[in-house]
Amino acid sequence: MKNSFKNGFLTGLRTTWTLGKVIFPVTLIISILQHTPVLGWIITLITPVMGIFGLSGEAAIPLVIGNMMTLYAGIGAILTVDLTVKEVFILAVMLSFSHNIIIESTVAAKVGLKLWIILAIRLGLAFFSAIIINLVWQGGSELAQYGFVTKREEIPNGWIEIVLNGMEKAGLGIVQLAIIVIPLMIIMQFLKDYGLLKVLTRWLAPCTRFLGMKENTSMTLVAGLTMGLAYGAGVMIQAVKEDGVSKKDLTLAFIFLVACHAVVEDTLVFIPLGIPVLPLLIIRLTVAVLLTITISYVWNKKEKTSARKEISYENKHNTI
């Protein structure tokens, strides 16, 4: 028992260090950018195209902030502007797919995936879903009624205070990461040492097979679904190292998770905004399942075609 605790604790520390090297600098840079004209330039740039998604120009503010920072920051920004129920719902769907995109995508790349694939999927899903909802849903024109008002943050005075504030946020992000990852790694180590991880994997096997992945991908999916990409990445990194998760299965798992990570938390946080959250959950799950199954099918078909070509070439070569 002592060895399990020690090994899990050390693994948690190593994982926190690995992810912290990404999260700290990115959080610091984004926190500083908040107090520069950069976000304003981006908002001005995208405002003219907001109509394509069924959004007003004001909706560019929460959309940019939610993508650059956390989902909570995006929700806080929504509360500062008057939007219709339809606009808030579209923003909720878009931000569900693409919130905190810099940190979460960089962490995903740290696990071993190509950054451009992650960005293309997350932004593509956000844009496509918004366009479809705008075309299909004709209602929701009434003004959204928010259930609470968030406390505004005090604006730091001067660059020294801005940098210190950014470092504080980044440091707290690492502490929060450690609080989640280290106990999780200890639990994972106990599950592994006492054979319970194999039992859990067998229970989840039908789901992973349905999505076109092998059984050993199950813990990666569970971690991402419950904790999100940034915090769940710790389990994913270990899964790649210890469980022998293939590059193909890891890619499929992340394709599923970029559409549907932290599914409970990221859905419930939208309740105070006065929008229907059940459709939001259904959209995320449906898109994640259909997208993963489709890519898995195409990938498998391509592999079989390549294998047949190789066999045909070898047979032809042997005949000659």
Side-chain angles (χ1 to χ4, degrees):
M1 185 175 286
K2 187 183 288 186
N3 285 337
S4 296
F5 182 88
K6 180 184 175 182
N7 292 336
F9 183 79
L10 292 175
T11 301
L13 282 179
R14 286 193 294 269
T15 305
T16 301
W17 172 250
T18 300
L19 298 177
K21 287 187 291 185
V22 174
I23 292 173
F24 187 90
V26 173
T27 303
L28 177 60
I29 291 167
I30 292 173
S31 296
I32 293 172
L33 286 177
Q34 281 183 264
H35 305 282
T36 69
V38 174
L39 290 183
W41 293 338
I42 297 172
I43 289 168
T44 303
L45 190 66
I46 71 167
T47 295
V49 300
M50 295 299 284
I52 299 171
F53 309 124
L55 299 171
S56 59
E58 284 185 321
I61 299 168
L63 187 61
V64 171
I65 289 175
N67 273 280
M68 292 288 285
M69 289 171 274
T70 65
L71 193 57
Y72 298 99
I75 291 171
I78 289 173
L79 295 171
T80 65
V81 291
D82 292 326
L83 300 168
T84 64
V85 171
K86 182 177 179 179
E87 285 182 298
V88 175
F89 185 76
I90 290 172
L91 281 172
V93 173
M94 292 184 79
L95 291 175
S96 293
F97 288 131
S98 65
H99 63 270
N100 202 13
I101 197 165
I102 297 175
I103 290 179
E104 291 191 347
S105 299
T106 307
V107 167
K110 191 75 176 176
V111 178
L113 298 181
K114 292 181 179 178
L115 185 61
W116 72 267
I117 294 177
I118 303 162
L119 291 172
I121 292 172
R122 298 192 72 182
L123 291 174
L125 288 175
F127 296 157
F128 181 73
S129 61
I131 292 169
I132 295 298
I133 292 168
N134 183 40
L135 292 173
V136 173
W137 189 13
Q138 300 304 316
S141 58
E142 66 275 15
L143 204 63
Q145 299 296 316
Y146 306 133
F148 64 87
V149 177
T150 55
K151 183 181 177 182
R152 292 178 180 271
E153 288 187 11
E154 292 183 9
I155 300 172
N157 296 315
W159 282 106
I160 294 176
E161 196 171 330
I162 287 171
V163 173
L164 290 174
N165 183 259
M167 291 182 70
E168 182 184 357
K169 285 183 180 178
L172 287 173
I174 302 302
V175 172
Q176 187 177 4
L177 179 70
I179 290 171
I180 293 172
V181 169
I182 293 175
L184 182 66
M185 288 301 169
I186 293 171
I187 293 169
M188 290 287 292
Q189 192 67 47
F190 274 101
L191 290 174
K192 198 174 296 178
D193 291 348
Y194 289 91
L196 297 174
L197 198 57
K198 291 181 179 178
V199 176
L200 184 60
T201 301
R202 283 199 300 271
W203 287 349
L204 297 170
C207 296
T208 52
R209 283 198 298 268
F210 177 71
L211 293 170
M213 292 170 269
K214 292 179 182 176
E215 293 180 10
N216 59 358
T217 321
S218 59
M219 289 312 301
T220 300
L221 284 175
V222 171
L225 277 169
T226 54
M227 293 178 292
L229 291 180
Y231 298 134
V235 175
M236 299 172 202
I237 290 171
Q238 285 305 113
V240 174
K241 288 180 181 178
E242 298 176 7
D243 299 340
V245 176
S246 68
K247 186 78 176 220
K248 175 186 172 183
D249 287 344
L250 182 67
T251 304
L252 289 173
F254 258 87
I255 287 170
F256 181 86
L257 291 173
V258 293
C260 197
H261 58 275
V263 67
V264 177
E265 179 190 351
D266 286 359
T267 303
L268 293 179
V269 292
F270 285 107
I271 289 177
L273 296 183
I275 60 169
V277 292
L278 184 59
L280 175 62
L281 176 61
I282 292 171
I283 288 170
R284 293 188 72 192
L285 283 170
T286 304
V287 168
V289 170
L290 291 178
L291 182 65
T292 308
I293 290 174
T294 302
I295 293 175
S296 176
Y297 174 78
V298 172
W299 199 326
N300 289 335
K301 195 171 183 180
K302 189 176 179 181
E303 284 182 340
K304 288 177 182 177
T305 303
S306 299
R308 281 199 297 269
K309 284 181 180 178
E310 285 181 16
I311 293 170
S312 177
Y313 176 80
E314 288 177 3
N315 291 338
K316 187 177 179 181
H317 183 73
N318 290 334
T319 303
I320 294 171

